[in-house]
């Protein structure tokens, strides 16, 4: 069955909303785990974006097993 243009736009909007929700949830998870290193200063905030490209299993492992210095060395641009 073929979708009408309206139904197609609606499906695309739903998918985009879901993706934005997933990204927001991942960002919150990373921020919450970074708080263990103290306040989220400029350096720590700067590594959030590079971490978002990783699968959740990877960024969670890095955040739980690495020191703040190790994370900054790995993800700082």
């Amino acid at each position: 069955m073929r979708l009408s243009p309206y139904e197609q736009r609606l499906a695309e909007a739903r998918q985009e909303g879901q993706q934005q929700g997933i990204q927001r949830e991942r960002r919150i998870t990373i921020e919450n785990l970074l708080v263990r290193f103290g306040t989220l200063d400029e350096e720590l905030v700067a590594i959030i974006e590079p971490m978002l490209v990783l699968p959740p299993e990877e960024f969670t492992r890095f955040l739980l097993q690495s020191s703040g210095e190790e994370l900054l060395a790995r993800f700082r641009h």
Side-chain angles (χ1 to χ4, degrees), residues 4-68:
S4 71
Y6 170 77
E7 291 170 323
Q8 181 65 35
R9 286 192 307 271
L10 185 59
E12 289 169 1
R14 275 193 197 120
Q15 185 175 16
E16 184 178 324
Q18 288 174 338
Q19 289 300 318
Q20 288 174 351
I22 290 168
Q23 283 297 99
R24 187 171 38 250
E25 184 178 303
R26 293 176 77 193
R27 176 180 289 280
I28 290 169
T29 300
I30 291 170
E31 288 174 356
N32 285 336
L33 290 170
L34 282 172
V35 169
R36 75 185 190 103
F37 300 113
T39 59
L40 288 181
D41 62 15
E42 217 173 276
E43 282 187 305
L44 289 175
V45 169
I47 68 170
I48 293 172
E49 287 297 323
M51 294 189 92
L52 283 171
V53 300
L54 298 175
E57 310 81 44
E58 274 190 62
F59 72 68
T60 302
R61 182 172 33 85
F62 282 124
L63 287 164
L64 293 176
Q65 296 177 355
S66 304
S67 69

